[in-house]
Amino acid sequence: MKTLNDIFDQITEAFGEEDFELSEQDAGDSWITVMPHRIHEVAKYLRDEQGLRFDSLMCLSGVHYSKEEMLGVTYHLYSTEFRHRLTLKVIMPQDDARLPSVEQIWKTADWHEREAYDMLGIVFEGHPDMRRILCPDDWEGHPLRKDYKEQEQYQNMKVPY
Amino acid sequence: MMKPDMHLDSKKPTFFPKHQEALYKSLEDKHATVELDKSDPLATRMILNMGPQHPATHGVLRVLMELDGEIITKCRLDTGYLHRGIEKMAENKTYQEFMPYTDRMDYLSPYSNNVALCLAVERLASVDVPEKATYIRMICSELARISSHLLWLGTMIMDAGAISFFIWTFREREKIYDIFDEVAGHRFTVSHSRIGGVNNDLSPAAINKIKKFVQEFPAELASWHKLLDKNRIFIDRNEGVGSIGHEDAIDIGLAGPSLRATGIAYDVRTFDPYMFYADMDFEVPTRTEGDNLARYYCRMEEMAESVRIIEQCFDKMPEKGPIRLDNAKKSYPSKDEVYYSMEGLIHDFMMTDTGVCPPEGAEAYHAIEAPKGELGFYIQSDGTGHPWRLKIKSPSFSNLQGLETVLDGEMVADTVVIIGGLDPVMGDSDK
């Protein structure tokens, strides 16, 4: 079982320091922030590296930081072998929300990434089936964005009640 | 001679055309893992829609399957028919106000959902829960587990062909409803838990009812085992059906009993104990086959373990003690205070109006073992009484994602039993 600091040291040793940042919090969870373009290789490293073995992606959530005009994705990882957990965060600008998909690394990410795309409009590059999942395919806008405004009409039905 | 793709051209969907087109195209593009037998003269590709209004899909789940004879070569699920935007609603409610919505997610075990939300918020806002309240939460969560598994048992066996069994499991569920009525004042959507404790103490009548149920239930369970364990039809319908290996299961994110049926003893109650599960003496039932029968055994044994946990909780639960944190900034004051003191009334008003305010920028992910698997709440706070972002990792969502893989290569007639065995609830999955 490794602490967050151990894991952070191991990552920076392998990938260099410039693209990673450790945020330690007094309340709740602490996390590591990763630059969007590194997420795929970091995820692969975390899954395969001896002594880390994060074989399970528990949760993948999209977040809209509307004040900063940023969109973020949070990954909650868990290792069933060593029983340690890790929170990874990726933050990218709202008008160019793209990042590599981790679907090839954890298949769990498949539906979760589709949900993040559906709800927040984050595009995961390399995902085999980037469709909406909860809303119909021709729905407009992304409901969980803070500035979301529902459409007036959908299929000749009135949307706002 | 019919062209293999003709069905796609001749039967253009007219309702939600764009959505349908995208779904059909996605099925086309899916990489088929099942080999088609090209020499079979009867092999014709056919596309079959099952649901969303199909009584055996346990709600509004739609399965789009490509069939080769009776074999499903590949399938896609279409979810979202019960999407109510719970996560968006949460952003406009205080944490306590949001609780009744969690009841309506996995509506077969509302108490577990309440507890999951409370534990996540309590972790975020550093709220300590009194000992007695935690025991009450544990007892009721385990009752919710039994209640959920009872519904699964009844419907799954109904899917396999035996109708009357449903009535027997519902007779036991009815007793649990009566217990919740006595405990919380509601039979179905309980909302009994509160941030910082629970709403009210267990009444003597409720304690008697729970103790009576716990005493009588194992005999009932034993008689069901006697009926099903050697039942030829039941075993033939379930053995080797919907199998998945342990590596695939963890990769695809199966949760709860479906994961444990593949041989991985992953249970949040033992891996990352919350409440007082670390002090409890109970087993995590596992099987290695990974098929529907293994899931049946796991859930049946889990019910017996839940009974053991409830008994231990009663042994350890203090007779008297507070049931809610006595700190008016973090938890509702007791009704005595509200009715008889000005401060109490103000605090009650403030709790309803503003609620608990976790520190700005703090965030927490907390998962519990709900009856169907790992139920996690990821909350980000912006320092107000409303969550900035609340994401629900629901077990049915994960299990349905697994279903897309499990169904490939199975017989179309087994779809119903496999869905029954995985036990998805659409309210949970579609949020």
Side-chain angles (χ1 to χ4, degrees):
Chain A
M1 191 158 169
K2 292 199 166 165
T3 62
L4 185 70
N5 281 310
D6 296 342
I7 297 168
F8 183 70
D9 290 344
Q10 207 170 334
I11 292 176
T12 45
E13 211 168 282
F15 292 96
E17 276 181 18
E18 64 268 36
D19 292 333
F20 304 92
E21 193 190 326
L22 176 71
S23 310
E24 284 183 283
Q25 302 287 320
D26 298 330
D29 300 338
S30 305
W31 63 84
I32 296 174
T33 315
V34 183
M35 291 300 281
H37 64 279
R38 306 293 305 251
I39 186 67
H40 192 273
E41 47 185 329
V42 171
K44 195 160 171 15
Y45 175 79
L46 289 171
R47 185 195 65 178
D48 294 337
E49 183 63 20
Q50 289 289 337
L52 291 174
R53 290 245 183 258
F54 286 100
D55 52 356
S56 148
L57 174 71
M58 291 196 292
C59 186
L60 186 154
S61 346
V63 189
H64 190 192
Y65 303 95
S66 60
K67 282 168 221 146
E68 296 87 1
E69 299 199 342
M70 294 288 214
L71 280 169
V73 177
T74 311
Y75 303 80
H76 289 97
L77 308 177
Y78 186 71
S79 161
T80 48
E81 194 178 331
F82 299 110
R83 303 193 179 189
H84 47 222
R85 53 180 70 237
L86 174 65
T87 311
L88 275 187
K89 270 191 179 188
V90 174
I91 293 176
M92 65 222 130
Q94 185 177 310
D95 40 9
D96 183 33
R98 310 181 152 267
L99 80 164
S101 163
V102 294
E103 194 267 350
Q104 291 87 354
I105 294 159
W106 298 287
K107 278 196 91 179
T108 327
D110 183 354
W111 278 27
H112 280 103
E113 286 182 350
R114 280 176 65 191
E115 193 188 340
Y117 165 68
D118 188 359
M119 292 293 137
L120 291 131
I122 301 166
V123 179
F124 293 86
E125 285 166 339
H127 189 285
D129 190 26
M130 198 81 260
R131 280 183 300 135
R132 286 178 179 266
I133 187 166
L134 295 174
C135 297
D137 219 68
D138 46 352
W139 193 259
E140 287 161 28
H142 300 283
L144 275 181
R145 285 209 181 182
K146 296 285 176 184
D147 51 1
Y148 172 69
K149 193 94 183 68
E150 65 265 66
Q151 62 209 70
E152 284 296 314
Q153 290 268 325
Y154 174 73
Q155 306 256 339
N156 297 325
M157 290 179 275
K158 199 168 170 290
V159 175
Y161 50 89
Chain B
M1 176 92 185
M2 205 176 129
K3 274 195 303 186
D5 287 341
M6 223 172 113
H7 56 277
L8 287 178
D9 307 326
S10 59
K11 289 261 183 287
K12 274 258 169 3
T14 52
F15 191 58
F16 288 115
K18 278 188 185 149
H19 179 68
Q20 307 280 25
E21 268 164 38
L23 183 64
Y24 276 74
K25 183 166 182 313
S26 153
L27 181 74
E28 277 293 295
D29 293 348
K30 187 176 173 185
H31 177 67
T33 46
V34 183
E35 289 282 312
L36 285 167
D37 183 9
K38 296 264 166 51
S39 63
D40 182 5
L42 289 175
T44 44
R45 225 162 56 94
M46 174 183 156
I47 299 217
L48 181 73
N49 263 293
M50 187 169 159
Q53 293 99 342
H54 190 285
T57 55
H58 293 222
V60 281
L61 170 67
R62 176 175 169 203
V63 190
L64 186 65
M65 305 181 253
E66 189 191 88
L67 304 178
D68 170 29
E70 273 197 88
I71 310 280
I72 303 169
T73 50
K74 45 189 178 179
C75 77
R76 280 278 184 225
L77 302 189
D78 189 20
T79 60
Y81 287 91
L82 203 61
H83 180 53
R84 296 151 294 179
I86 285 189
E87 289 172 3
K88 186 81 178 175
M89 284 188 225
E91 289 171 10
N92 301 300
K93 305 253 174 252
T94 65
Y95 293 99
Q96 186 60 56
E97 267 176 344
F98 177 59
M99 186 172 295
Y101 292 85
T102 63
D103 283 331
R104 286 147 183 86
M105 282 162 41
D106 180 359
Y107 38 78
L108 304 176
S109 57
Y111 210 104
S112 304
N113 307 346
N114 297 166
V115 170
L117 174 70
C118 282
L119 288 173
V121 177
E122 281 155 10
R123 171 139 176 231
L124 197 59
S126 320
V127 179
D128 296 319
V129 182
E131 198 184 346
K132 189 163 189 193
T134 305
Y135 278 117
I136 294 173
R137 282 178 180 185
M138 280 172 76
I139 291 169
C140 293
S141 298
E142 293 306 317
L143 282 172
R145 188 184 313 280
I146 297 175
S147 166
S148 165
H149 283 359
L150 282 177
L151 188 117
W152 153 81
L153 184 64
T155 50
M156 194 269 254
I157 290 167
M158 191 153 69
D159 291 342
I163 309 286
S164 56
F165 210 91
F166 190 71
I167 300 162
W168 301 341
T169 61
F170 255 65
R171 187 184 58 204
E172 298 304 306
R173 284 202 84 207
E174 197 62 34
K175 292 178 189 165
I176 298 179
Y177 280 156
D178 286 347
I179 290 170
F180 279 134
D181 191 7
E182 195 67 50
V183 169
H186 292 262
R187 285 159 56 80
F188 198 59
T189 47
V190 286
S191 284
H192 180 242
S193 199
R194 293 284 179 278
I195 289 156
V198 292
N199 182 37
N200 55 288
D201 204 349
L202 295 178
S203 67
I207 292 178
N208 283 339
K209 271 191 176 166
I210 299 172
K211 283 189 170 161
K212 187 161 174 280
F213 175 80
V214 168
Q215 211 172 16
E216 291 169 353
F217 185 66
E220 204 68 38
L221 206 56
S223 74
W224 295 341
H225 267 299
K226 211 167 136 192
L227 182 71
L228 292 169
D229 284 4
K230 289 183 184 137
N231 188 315
R232 174 82 189 278
I233 303 172
F234 179 69
I235 290 178
D236 281 356
R237 252 350 267 284
N238 286 290
E239 198 170 17
V241 167
S243 301
I244 189 166
H246 65 95
E247 276 175 356
D248 283 343
I250 203 147
D251 189 32
I252 208 148
L254 279 191
S258 310
L259 179 62
R260 291 192 282 277
T262 64
I264 296 168
Y266 179 67
D267 186 320
V268 189
R269 290 177 295 173
T270 52
F271 271 58
D272 187 12
Y274 52 96
M275 301 207 274
F276 297 138
Y277 280 112
D279 310 334
M280 294 287 145
D281 174 28
F282 69 103
E283 305 277 325
V284 178
T286 46
R287 281 287 187 282
T288 50
E289 297 88 355
D291 60 356
N292 237 7
L293 196 65
R295 290 172 204 140
Y296 157 78
Y297 281 120
C298 282
R299 289 207 176 87
M300 287 295 267
E301 283 159 29
E302 251 172 47
M303 285 196 266
E305 295 303 322
S306 291
V307 168
R308 277 179 67 196
I309 295 173
I310 295 173
E311 280 167 348
Q312 291 173 51
C313 285
F314 273 122
D315 290 343
K316 292 184 177 171
M317 187 166 76
E319 280 280 307
K320 283 197 170 61
I323 46 128
R324 208 155 55 232
L325 179 70
D326 188 17
N327 177 347
K329 296 280 175 251
K330 288 182 170 174
S331 174
Y332 272 100
S334 75
K335 280 286 173 240
D336 279 351
E337 267 180 82
V338 180
Y339 292 148
Y340 300 110
S341 85
M342 198 59 212
E343 286 79 25
L345 187 65
I346 293 167
H347 284 141
D348 192 74
F349 179 79
M350 287 303 287
M351 280 307 292
T352 309
D353 183 56
T354 320
V356 188
C357 297
E360 190 180 350
E363 59 172 69
Y365 175 81
H366 192 279
I368 70 154
E369 188 69 25
K372 292 178 177 61
E374 182 184 316
L375 169 68
F377 277 84
Y378 170 53
I379 303 176
Q380 258 188 28
S381 165
D382 60 346
T384 64
H386 314 275
W388 176 255
R389 171 80 167 100
L390 187 144
K391 153 99 183 179
I392 302 155
K393 187 263 169 199
S394 58
S396 299
F397 190 77
S398 315
N399 281 335
L400 280 178
Q401 186 180 351
L403 185 67
E404 222 172 45
T405 311
V406 172
L407 276 182
D408 289 354
E410 295 290 335
M411 306 280 276
V412 66
D414 287 334
T415 327
V416 168
V417 215
I418 296 170
I419 296 174
L422 279 175
D423 194 21
V425 168
M426 295 317 289
D428 196 19
S429 157
D430 289 353
K431 293 177 271 242

